[in-house]
């Protein structure tokens, strides 16, 4: 999935990644941060975005933590966020909004919605989001594991991102 963040533009569809667990503290956020470190553009992990934030950010790779309210039962409150995420798996998906100029004229502003998205949370996702996602069910480790050092990881992650970028460029025709 991480390599796909470097090559998704070559495909019509991109599958999302859903990190799920039945209980908190299973490592979802830590895994999301690790995915961010290796993904194209080193995108930030964000929580509770609005629909406008998602499509106006300009990020091609989106990593969302604490997505527990993106279920079918939460459509009344989070319906716009769910709708933006629902369309973003297919190339060419856009979100259009009216923009008013200083002169009072209206124009249509178009935002790209297509791109890889990883979603982490405790509860299940809305049906359409779930169908567009590779599900990873996480469990709490039985014993405390060694901590991952960000200071040691950062230079390695930068090196890996550079290698994946070169790989994507080199293999575009084959992909």
């Amino acid at each position: 999935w991480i390599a796909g963040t470097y090559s998704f533009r070559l495909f019509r569809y991109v599958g999302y990644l859903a990190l799920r667990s039945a209980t908190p503290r299973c490592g979802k956020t830590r895994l999301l941060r690790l995915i961010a470190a290796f993904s194209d553009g080193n995108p930030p992990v964000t929580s509770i975005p609005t629909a406008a934030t998602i499509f106006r950010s300009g990020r091609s790779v989106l990593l969302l933590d604490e997505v527990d309210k993106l279920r079918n039962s939460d459509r009344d409150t989070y319906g716009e966020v769910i709708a933006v995420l629902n369309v973003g798996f297919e190339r060419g998906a856009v979100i259009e909004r009216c923009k008013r100029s200083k002169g009072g004229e209206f124009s249509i502003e178009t935002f790209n919605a297509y791109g890889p998205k990883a979603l982490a949370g405790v509860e299940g996702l809305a049906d359409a989001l779930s169908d567009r996602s590779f599900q990873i069910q996480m469990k709490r480790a039985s014993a405390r594991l060694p901590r991952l050092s960000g200071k040691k990881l950062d230079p390695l992650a930068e090196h890996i991102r550079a290698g994946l970028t070169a790989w994507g460029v080199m293999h575009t025709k084959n992909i």
Side-chain angles (χ1 to χ4, degrees):
W1 189 89
I2 291 171
T5 67
Y6 294 84
S7 60
F8 73 94
R9 291 170 188 85
L10 301 171
F11 299 96
R12 182 173 180 175
Y13 302 102
V14 61
Y16 295 168
L17 192 60
L19 309 175
R20 316 304 304 158
S21 70
T23 61
R25 296 188 347 215
C26 292
K28 296 177 299 297
T29 300
R30 186 173 303 275
L31 179 56
L32 209 54
R33 288 184 188 135
L34 192 60
I35 289 167
F38 298 122
S39 292
D40 189 22
N42 190 18
V45 175
T46 188
S47 296
I48 317 169
T50 63
T53 302
I54 293 171
F55 61 80
R56 282 191 163 95
S57 73
R59 292 186 203 123
S60 56
V61 180
L62 186 63
L63 307 176
L64 299 175
D65 199 5
E66 307 298 336
V67 296
D68 301 324
K69 299 296 183 191
L70 300 182
R71 304 168 299 181
N72 289 332
S73 60
D74 297 313
R75 282 194 183 276
D76 290 343
T77 306
Y78 297 98
E80 287 185 16
V81 171
I82 294 169
V84 170
L85 295 173
N86 277 346
V87 301
F89 78 104
E90 187 173 11
R91 187 177 60 220
V94 296
I95 305 297
E96 294 183 321
R97 294 292 183 261
C98 279
K99 181 180 180 182
R100 189 176 202 170
S101 68
K102 291 181 182 180
E105 298 291 321
F106 286 97
S107 63
I108 301 294
E109 195 171 6
T110 303
F111 299 92
N112 180 31
Y114 177 60
K117 294 162 185 65
L119 315 164
V122 175
E123 299 181 22
L125 293 169
D127 293 341
L129 281 177
S130 185
D131 288 347
R132 292 173 171 102
S133 300
F134 299 105
Q135 304 285 327
I136 298 178
Q137 189 66 37
M138 299 185 67
K139 296 179 183 176
R140 187 179 296 181
S142 57
R144 186 170 172 89
L145 299 172
R147 291 279 180 188
L148 187 63
S149 169
K151 286 183 179 183
K152 292 179 182 176
L153 178 65
D154 289 344
L156 175 63
E158 191 173 320
H159 178 73
I160 290 173
R161 283 193 308 272
L164 283 168
T165 299
W167 171 84
V169 169
M170 185 183 312
H171 295 286
T172 295
K173 288 183 180 180
N174 295 332
I175 294 173

